[in-house]
Each structure stands twice: as structure tokens, then as C-alpha cells.
Amino acid sequence: MEVWDIYDKDRQVTGKQMYRGDIFEQGAYHLVIHVCLFNPLGEILIKQRQPDKQG
């Protein structure tokens, strides 16, 4: 089960947490990152999510 720290609109941690799948309160945010990997030929690595992964 994933637990997320909750941030405000200014990316300040609020001290609250939520679980993946919970409904966000008004003004609640969590951090997300995306990573792109390129090789010397400019090709990008694409990984497909497992079909049995929830969410």
C-alpha cells in the first residue's frame, strides 16, 4: 500500500498523509516525477506497467 505525504500549493509539506486511491481534499497535492532515459542515439527507454498493478 502506498502512502503519500500531502503538500500545499507552494510545495510545503502539510504533515498529513493519504493512501493511494483516497480522494484528495481541496488544496491537497502529492509529488510526482517522470524520468526519461535516452541512449547516445537519442532513443528513449519505454517501460510498460505490469498489467496486474493496481491503480
Side-chain angles (χ1 to χ4, degrees):
M1 176 157 301
E2 293 180 52
V3 180
W4 298 334
D5 291 321
I6 301 301
Y7 294 79
D8 65 17
K9 65 182 176 106
D10 298 315
R11 293 190 210 147
Q12 300 298 312
V13 70
T14 64
K16 296 180 182 179
Q17 294 183 324
M18 66 180 286
Y19 294 98
R20 179 184 194 90
D22 288 352
I23 297 174
F24 277 85
E25 295 177 7
Q26 183 77 21
Y29 300 87
H30 75 102
L31 299 180
V32 176
I33 64 164
H34 296 275
V35 177
C36 297
L37 299 176
F38 293 90
N39 68 14
L41 299 175
E43 299 169 322
I44 188 170
L45 173 68
I46 298 176
K47 170 121 175 45
Q48 186 172 4
R49 181 177 226 166
Q50 293 295 321
D52 60 342
K53 173 110 173 135
Q54 292 183 349

